[in-house]
Amino acid sequence: MAFQCLEGVDVTGLRVKVVEGGEEFVGKVQFLDIARGRLGLVLEKGELQLFYQRDVDMVSVLGELSKGGNDTVDESTAIMDKLKIGPNSKSFSVMRDKAENKEVQVDKVKQVQRVVEGKESVMGEEEMKKIFSEVRPDRPGVALFNDRGRNQHLDNLHHINMSDLLGHKPPHESEQVVMMTDSDSCGHQFKQLPAVTQSSKPRIDANGHALHGGRQEKMIRERLWVTPDTPPHIETPARLYIVKVVGEVFEEAVDRISHSGMVGLSLEGELIGREGTLAWVNICTARDVFMFDIITMGEAGFKFGLKSVLQNSELVKVVHDCRQVNDCLTHQWGVTLTNVWDTLAGDMVFSTQYVYDGFIPQYARSLAHLLKDYLGIADSDIY
């Protein structure tokens, strides 16, 4: 044992050399705890360092502090003589008993003897704990665990511009789809809408990883698709009319909508609801999409046609999450929405019955999720 040469003697203030990990440390002993295998050493630079017996390679005695004012006796020789005393001798037994008694007294009082600038002083246990908590060994630290606190999922995150995501900024010119302008049989201009793309392949996220819809996607494809790899055939409207004033185009739009059995409905604006700002009312039939500019038309748009269309109980309005839509129309424009088929509620019913075995899902899904799962619409065609 490395500390064996220090057992049985009063080593306080003794100058020793400690070899640990190939490095040498020279200093004066402040305390020695044989039971716990600890050695406190004040290095030549004045730093206090703690050594453990299991880590120390060798300890050698260099000398001891002189405790007398003019006493020049070399006590290092006396210490070495004490260390050479046989273990069975009477003197060795006396010194061992004294050392044990001293350790017992130290444990009872919970104090440690130390030498500060040549004068002895007593340091309490709390003060010693504070000192050792601040002291760090003068050697490279050893990592016990490799990257234990590192979250590898952070490497998969990417920056998101919320202004772009929320539509406050128009798409880049390279991403914009050029729509040709044409006229119908009545002479009203419209823009030609491109057809959407359908696919059964897994979606790809921003990091290039494939995303699978899990059990919901599987059950939808098994029960509603032609085959798990063949999405249902859909026909989308081909003509887009932008209606900004109450006039001929507005009247024609209301007439076509009124003679349709089912239409799609959505509202666009800022914070749609009773306190938000409504900008567009979008209504589509099987062939046409009408965008009504409410900012420009104002209440006149509802007074001269939109209100009657939205309150028509014989006309089915397909909406995704009609709660905010109805809240806005009711409290701002006095419109009572009737005969609504809510795709959010439809997905909840389907998932409850076929996916979760009668249990209601905890969260509702967005329109983008439904378009991908039920119709297989490509991400590039969903805005």
Side-chain angles (χ1 to χ4, degrees):
M1 305 297 286
F3 295 166
Q4 186 175 4
C5 64
L6 302 178
E7 294 183 8
V9 296
D10 184 7
V11 296
T12 303
L14 185 66
R15 192 165 179 268
V16 299
K17 181 174 70 173
V18 178
V19 180
E20 179 180 290
E23 297 184 33
E24 295 183 358
F25 303 88
V26 178
K28 299 172 184 178
V29 177
Q30 187 177 49
F31 75 92
L32 174 65
D33 189 345
I34 296 296
R36 296 181 176 86
R38 299 186 302 177
L39 173 65
L41 201 65
V42 179
L43 302 179
E44 293 179 342
K45 296 181 181 180
E47 299 176 354
L48 177 63
Q49 184 150 336
L50 180 65
F51 295 91
Y52 287 91
Q53 187 169 228
R54 63 175 179 269
D55 300 328
V56 174
D57 301 327
M58 183 183 68
V59 177
S60 58
V61 179
L62 301 179
E64 184 180 11
L65 287 176
S66 178
K67 298 181 181 180
N70 298 322
D71 188 2
T72 58
V73 179
D74 187 0
E75 295 189 7
S76 61
T77 304
I79 293 295
M80 294 302 295
D81 293 339
K82 291 180 182 180
L83 297 177
K84 294 178 182 178
I85 296 176
N88 298 325
S89 64
K90 183 177 180 181
S91 299
F92 183 84
S93 300
V94 172
M95 287 191 299
R96 183 180 58 189
D97 294 339
K98 288 182 179 180
E100 292 176 354
N101 293 335
K102 184 176 181 179
E103 290 181 4
V104 172
Q105 292 176 0
V106 170
D107 291 337
K108 287 182 179 180
V109 184
K110 294 183 178 180
Q111 294 178 338
V112 179
Q113 286 278 12
R114 71 169 184 172
V115 176
V116 179
E117 297 180 355
K119 297 180 180 180
E120 293 188 358
S121 62
V122 178
M123 181 178 291
E125 181 186 19
E126 296 300 327
E127 190 176 358
M128 287 296 299
K129 287 182 178 179
K130 182 179 179 180
I131 291 177
F132 280 108
S133 65
E134 298 175 352
V135 173
R136 295 292 181 269
D138 188 15
R139 54 176 176 165
V142 180
L144 299 180
F145 302 96
N146 293 329
D147 298 335
R148 180 175 181 178
R150 184 169 174 236
N151 189 346
Q152 297 181 354
H153 295 286
L154 296 178
D155 298 335
N156 298 326
L157 299 181
H158 60 279
H159 175 71
I160 295 178
N161 190 320
M162 295 304 297
S163 296
D164 296 348
L165 183 65
L166 297 176
H168 293 171
K169 181 179 179 181
H172 192 269
E173 294 182 359
S174 61
E175 300 176 358
Q176 294 181 355
V177 178
V178 179
M179 293 185 291
M180 303 298 295
T181 302
D182 202 350
S183 300
D184 58 16
S185 58
C186 299
H188 303 309
Q189 289 188 346
F190 63 87
K191 293 182 180 296
Q192 296 180 355
L193 294 173
V196 298
T197 304
Q198 293 179 275
S199 175
S200 60
K201 296 180 180 180
R203 300 187 299 274
I204 305 299
D205 65 6
N207 298 316
H209 301 154
L211 299 177
H212 298 275
R215 179 172 171 78
Q216 281 182 307
E217 179 185 277
K218 179 182 178 182
M219 296 304 299
I220 290 173
R221 294 189 177 191
E222 287 181 356
R223 292 184 173 273
L224 302 180
W225 284 27
V226 179
T227 66
D229 296 326
T230 307
H233 175 72
I234 60 173
E235 293 183 0
T236 57
R239 301 183 296 189
L240 170 62
Y241 293 87
I242 299 178
V243 185
K244 294 187 175 182
V245 295
V246 177
E248 293 183 2
V249 179
F250 179 85
E251 294 177 358
E252 180 68 21
V254 172
D255 182 67
R256 294 183 189 181
I257 294 171
S258 301
H259 288 83
S260 302
M262 179 183 298
V263 297
L265 171 65
S266 70
L267 304 186
E268 301 295 336
E270 184 175 359
L271 299 176
I272 296 299
R274 65 184 67 185
E275 302 294 339
T277 301
L278 177 61
W280 297 90
V281 173
N282 304 322
I283 302 177
C284 74
T285 64
R287 296 182 58 188
D288 307 315
V289 176
F290 300 99
M291 296 182 63
F292 297 93
D293 188 350
I294 303 303
I295 299 295
T296 303
M297 291 189 295
E299 189 175 355
F302 290 95
K303 181 179 180 181
F304 295 107
L306 289 179
K307 184 174 183 179
S308 61
V309 169
L310 297 175
Q311 293 187 156
N312 185 356
S313 59
E314 297 181 358
L315 180 63
V316 180
K317 297 91 179 174
V318 180
V319 187
H320 184 78
D321 192 0
C322 69
R323 293 173 294 182
Q324 297 301 108
V325 172
N326 187 66
D327 190 55
C328 174
L329 295 175
T330 301
H331 292 88
Q332 291 195 33
W333 307 100
V335 177
T336 302
L337 197 60
T338 60
N339 198 0
V340 175
W341 204 98
D342 196 329
T343 55
L344 182 145
D347 178 61
M348 295 283 284
V349 172
F350 180 88
S351 299
T352 300
Q353 184 173 357
Y354 296 106
V355 180
Y356 297 108
D357 299 327
F359 292 94
I360 300 176
Q362 184 176 3
Y363 303 104
R365 300 200 296 166
S366 66
L367 178 61
H369 276 92
L370 270 58
L371 292 175
K372 296 172 185 176
D373 288 352
Y374 286 91
L375 302 177
I377 304 297
D379 291 341
S380 58
D381 294 330
I382 299 175
Y383 177 69

